[in-house]
């Protein structure tokens, strides 16, 4: 039966481990000039209803380097924008392509596609989740810290799609996660309810960023207004006072703290220029790893490994 990747709760712990190992292996092999063209003749379709630089290009290059092809479709240029039902589009595309990556506002739309498609559907970001991002981010943590199990991750920022996927990951993998959001921008309780009972003890919620970063190995942030929320930015800048990841906040974290951001970053808002431009920063490796992780995901879903 085909598998989809709509949220990280679709994966078992072993699936995570397999993806981390394979992505790291594919990265090493690519660096040595070895081309793994296991997806020759296969086609990935991408339907994006929101902007993207990294995710789109990482998926397209991943597919090309694996010997396949990618077709990018802006949702506006498809019949979806003229109300063709998701179930019809999904059934038709399943006759042309081998896998579909989607970036939408409403998560329910990706779920609807997955239900009707006979090919794997990948969530390339919805308002609710960004699973592929967190897979490549944990890959980066493994590269820098040697593993993720004993790592304390602190989220400082909005209770958005990216932290939701962090909560899903902590729920399955069991690492410590502290989530600090301003009072009116907290994680949706539905997402917390989805976490396993066991995981709930590893995941702590607070409104105090200083408390969250204490002894953190990783401090993660993201924009204060996500795509679709741009009109709220000025209101949010006020509400998020004290939540900027800057050198002063990081002084409370471990000395070798790793600061992460999925990018794009807004300098002077959720992160300071000095932190973003720090010579030891990992942001660019984080972005690179999306390509390698996307390869591992595509290989696994398309070949059914
Ligand atoms: N991190 C991320 O998803 O970036 P894009 O929006 O550029 O794809
Ligand atoms: N939370 C951000 C992530 C962008 C990669 C957004 O949804 O816009």
């Amino acid at each position: 039966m085909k598998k989809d990747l709509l949220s990280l709760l679709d994966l078992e712990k072993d699936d995570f481990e397999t993806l981390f190992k394979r992505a790291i292996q594919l990265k090493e092999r690519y660096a040595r000039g070895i081309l793994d063209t296991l997806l020759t003749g296969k086609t990935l379709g991408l339907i994006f209803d929101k902007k993207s630089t990294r995710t789109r290009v990482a998926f397209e290059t991943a597919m090309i380097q694996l010997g396949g092809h990618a077709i990018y479709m802006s949702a506006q240029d498809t019949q979806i924008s003229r109300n063709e039902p998701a179930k019809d589009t999904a059934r038709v595309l399943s006759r042309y392509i081998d896998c579909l990556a989607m970036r939408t506002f409403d998560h329910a739309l990706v779920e609807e596609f997955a239900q009707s498609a006979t090919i794997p559907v990948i969530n390339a970001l919805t308002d609710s989740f960004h699973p592929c991002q967190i897979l490549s981010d944990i890959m980066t943590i493994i590269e820098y810290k040697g593993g993720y199990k004993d790592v304390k991750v602190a989220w400082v920022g909005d209770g958005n799609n990216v932290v939701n996927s962090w909560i899903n990951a902590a729920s399955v993998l069991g690492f410590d996660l502290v989530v600090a959001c301003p009072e009116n921008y907290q994680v949706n309780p539905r997402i917390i309810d989805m976490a396993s009972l066991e995981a709930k003890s590893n995941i702590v919620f607070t409104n105090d960023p200083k408390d969250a970063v204490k002894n953190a190995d990783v401090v993660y942030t993201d924009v204060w207004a996500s795509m679709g929320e741009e009109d709220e930015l000025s209101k949010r800048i006020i509400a998020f006072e004290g939540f900027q990841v800057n050198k002063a906040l990081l002084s409370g974290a471990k000395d070798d703290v790793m600061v992460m951001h999925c990018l794009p970053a807004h300098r002077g808002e959720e992160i300071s220029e000095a932190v973003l431009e720090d010579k030891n920063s990992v942001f660019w490796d984080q972005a690179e790893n999306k390509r390698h992780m996307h390869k591992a995901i595509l290989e696994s879903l398309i070949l059914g490994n």
Side-chain angles (χ1 to χ4, degrees):
M1 206 178 77
K2 66 119 177 177
K3 279 193 184 160
D4 303 303
L5 178 52
L6 306 189
S7 93
L8 291 178
L9 296 182
D10 290 335
L11 302 177
E12 308 273 342
K13 197 168 180 172
D14 284 353
D15 302 323
F16 277 90
E17 297 289 354
T18 305
L19 287 173
F20 296 143
K21 262 197 211 119
R22 183 62 178 152
I24 289 168
Q25 186 186 51
L26 284 165
K27 180 176 180 177
E28 281 165 4
R29 287 169 66 82
Y30 187 81
R32 283 193 278 135
I34 302 166
L35 287 181
D36 287 284
T37 52
L38 287 159
L39 296 186
T40 301
K42 303 288 185 191
T43 305
L44 169 73
L46 300 110
I47 297 184
F48 278 38
D49 201 13
K50 284 177 173 173
K51 311 253 186 273
S52 172
T53 298
R54 282 145 285 268
T55 309
R56 172 185 175 175
V57 178
F59 265 121
E60 291 194 23
T61 49
M63 202 60 199
I64 293 162
Q65 288 169 12
L66 289 172
H69 295 270
I71 300 174
Y72 177 82
M73 292 162 273
S74 154
Q76 279 311 307
D77 295 333
T78 69
Q79 299 287 9
I80 298 168
S81 66
R82 294 181 59 248
N83 298 325
E84 180 166 18
K87 61 182 178 186
D88 292 359
T89 310
R91 283 180 290 187
V92 170
L93 289 179
S94 298
R95 304 291 176 107
Y96 299 141
I97 60 179
D98 302 284
C99 186
L100 176 64
M102 295 189 73
R103 174 168 281 205
T104 64
F105 290 86
D106 191 357
H107 187 72
L109 185 62
V110 177
E111 290 178 329
E112 223 181 314
F113 263 82
Q115 258 170 23
S116 303
T118 55
I119 52 168
V121 175
I122 301 173
N123 175 359
L125 183 148
T126 63
D127 285 349
S128 305
F129 300 109
H130 198 3
C132 302
Q133 178 69 48
I134 276 54
L135 283 170
S136 56
D137 292 339
I138 300 175
M139 169 188 174
T140 309
I141 292 175
I142 294 170
E143 286 180 335
Y144 276 85
K145 302 276 181 198
Y148 62 81
K149 292 188 179 78
D150 300 319
V151 166
K152 174 186 165 182
V153 179
W155 173 271
V156 178
D158 185 27
N160 66 12
N161 46 4
V162 176
V163 73
N164 289 348
S165 286
W166 270 111
I167 292 169
N168 290 165
S171 171
V172 181
L173 298 178
F175 55 84
D176 287 334
L177 175 66
V178 183
V179 178
C181 307
E183 215 166 323
N184 294 322
Y185 297 92
Q186 299 184 60
V187 171
N188 184 330
R190 195 178 52 86
I191 303 294
I192 303 168
D193 289 346
M194 285 160 70
S196 65
L197 272 185
E198 196 187 37
K200 281 182 178 144
S201 60
N202 301 326
I203 309 174
V204 174
F205 296 89
T206 171
N207 301 130
D208 183 348
K210 286 193 191 125
D211 204 32
V213 304
K214 259 183 217 152
N215 291 319
D217 300 285
V218 176
V219 171
Y220 201 110
T221 192
D222 182 19
V223 290
W224 289 341
S226 287
M227 288 180 274
E229 299 170 340
E230 291 84 353
D231 291 353
E232 292 181 27
L233 183 60
S234 48
K235 189 174 95 188
R236 285 173 176 248
I237 287 176
I238 298 165
F240 281 75
E241 201 193 328
F243 280 76
Q244 185 184 84
V245 174
N246 52 34
K247 298 273 178 187
L249 184 72
L250 293 171
S251 63
K254 284 195 178 158
D255 289 344
D256 62 348
V257 66
M258 198 172 143
V259 183
M260 302 185 84
H261 192 311
C262 55
L263 304 178
H266 290 184
R267 289 166 163 82
E269 291 176 21
E270 77 278 0
I271 193 160
S272 69
E273 170 83 10
V275 172
L276 200 72
E277 294 298 341
D278 191 284
K279 63 176 182 4
N280 296 320
S281 77
V282 306
F283 309 114
W284 322 112
D285 289 345
Q286 227 189 304
E288 176 187 340
N289 282 343
K290 285 170 73 79
R291 175 165 56 94
H292 307 295
M293 179 50 77
H294 288 179
K295 281 186 182 176
I297 295 167
L298 289 165
E299 203 185 83
S300 153
L301 292 181
I302 295 176
L303 300 180
N305 292 337

